[in-house]
Structure formats: structure tokens, C-alpha cells
Amino acid sequence: AQKVTQAQTEISVVEKEDVTLDCVYETRDTTYYLFWYKQPPSGELVFLIRRNSFDEQNEISGRYSWNFQKSTSSFNFTITASQVVDSAVYFCALSGYTNAGKSTFGDGTTLTVKP
Amino acid sequence: GAGVSQSPSNKVTEKGKDVELRCDPISGHTALYWYRQSLGQGLEFLIYFQGNSAPDKSGLPSDRFSAERTGGSVSTLTIQRTQQEDSAVYLCASSLGPRGVNTEAFFGQGTRLTVV
């Protein structure tokens, strides 16, 4: 069975602070996908990143960066110099490689960035 | 349309009634998924359609739930004899395919179902 744990239920930071959202996963699959999604107050989920299990390179996209460590089954997400518009619920998700449409989601981390 | 479209956006129904939720995926997307999001929780997988293959229904919580996808495009999720615990936001998503770079899923804004 697959499981995704986002231990941080809520995080509150002040604008311009860096913040890291943790994600730990469990799977018996040797190949799999990991995802991060953002759900702003409007409710629509926005895809942020997909990572294959055999690609452990960290990725940076603007103020966003992701740290994938297979050894610790973690896929953490860091926002540098946070902004008020980053306020949202962030979900980490895991899927099998042959059926990426069937994802297991964590319960989400609510990030509030205060001005 | 440009994105995944779901209708209705809100639905209030009486306990015991049947409801139908509709999803129009992005044109050309072969994969379509339904998820359920209860208040303050993550997404719960319900069902997955991929092309002409038999759907993966392993996430449907009971036999009151069913879904179909006509012509490889529009999908309808039906809940029969609704119960209060069915109240949630039902999200539909589509992607170009099931693997590789095609797995980026585009989500609709969801249907908020309230069973009273």
C-alpha cells in the first residue's frame, strides 16, 4: 500500500522568509512518481512538479526548489523569499509508474504567508 | 474549452436522492480521474479512465458510486441514494496520458456536494 505523510498541518511565516514543506512517503514499488500540487483559496489544484523515482536530481524553479531523497523516502519542497500569494494548501502525492493517474495524496499543508 | 470543466459547481441534495456530476476534460487528454476531497483533508482517489481500457474503479467507496466516460471524453460520476457522508468536493482531472511527461494532471474547480 502507498502512503504519503505531510506532518505539518499548518505553517505560518512572514513574507520574505524561506519555508520548507515536508513530505515523506511509503511504497513497495521500485519505480514511481512523486508530485506537488498547490491549492489556492479558489480551490483549483495547480500542478507544480513531477519527479520520477529514478531521477534524484534536485530541481529549482524560480523561488521553488525540491529535494528528493530516496534514502529517506522524502520529497521536500522549499519556497525561498515567500510571498503573500504563496498562501495556499500544498499537497504531496505519490503514484505507481504504470498507473500514474491513481495518486495517493497527503493531507496537505496549509501555508499562510503574512505581509 | 481551455481547461477541465465540471458542472454543477455546487449541488445541494436531500439524503436518499441520486446525483450526477459531470466532467469535461481537456480535449485530447486520454486519461481522466475522479477524486473526492472532504473538508480539511487530502484527495481520495475514486476512479481512473485511460483511453479505451477498462476503468480502475478500486477507489469507489461503495456500490452507490459509479462513473462512465462516453466517447473517451465527457465523464459522469453518479452517486445513488446519497448519504450525508458523501458531502465533499468532487474533483475531476485529466492528463495526456498515464506515464512520463504526459502525467501532468489538470484539475477542474470541482463540484461541491452537500447532502442534507
Side-chain angles (χ1 to χ4, degrees), chain A residues 33 35 37 39 42-45 47 50 91 97-103 105-107, chain B residues 33 35 37 41-43 45 48 56 58 91 98-101 103-105 107-109:
Chain A
Y33 288 107
F35 304 84
Y37 291 90
Q39 187 175 43
S42 61
E44 189 169 337
L45 269 87
F47 167 89
R50 169 193 50 249
F91 291 97
Y97 194 70
T98 57
N99 190 1
K102 183 179 176 180
S103 295
F105 281 73
D107 286 341
Chain B
Y33 334 116
Y35 286 88
Q37 185 177 23
Q41 296 186 8
L43 279 70
F45 168 79
Y48 163 55
D56 180 339
S58 59
L91 290 161
R99 287 183 290 279
V101 297
T103 56
E104 178 174 347
F107 280 82
Q109 292 196 315

Side-chain angles (χ1 to χ4, degrees), chain A:
Chain A
Q2 297 182 332
K3 183 178 179 181
V4 176
T5 302
Q6 295 179 253
Q8 305 148 308
T9 305
E10 296 182 9
I11 300 176
S12 181
V13 298
V14 177
E15 207 169 20
K16 296 185 184 176
E17 285 185 18
D18 298 348
V19 58
T20 295
L21 310 181
D22 297 333
C23 174
V24 175
Y25 62 92
E26 296 175 28
T27 180
R28 294 179 185 172
D29 293 342
T30 54
T31 53
Y32 46 88
Y33 288 107
L34 292 161
F35 304 84
W36 275 95
Y37 291 90
K38 174 182 180 180
Q39 187 175 43
S42 61
E44 189 169 337
L45 269 87
V46 176
F47 167 89
L48 295 178
I49 190 172
R50 169 193 50 249
R51 172 64 66 213
N52 295 325
S53 56
F54 47 81
D55 180 3
E56 288 195 67
Q57 277 192 336
N58 291 327
E59 183 158 339
I60 298 174
S61 176
R63 296 184 296 107
Y64 295 171
S65 62
W66 291 270
N67 184 344
F68 174 34
Q69 295 203 351
K70 213 167 178 178
S71 60
T72 55
S73 298
S74 65
F75 187 42
N76 296 338
F77 173 31
T78 297
I79 302 174
T80 303
S82 59
Q83 299 176 2
V84 172
V85 293
D86 296 327
S87 297
V89 182
Y90 290 86
F91 291 97
C92 180
L94 165 72
S95 75
Y97 194 70
T98 57
N99 190 1
K102 183 179 176 180
S103 295
T104 299
F105 281 73
D107 286 341
T109 296
T110 300
L111 174 65
T112 302
V113 181
K114 299 178 181 177

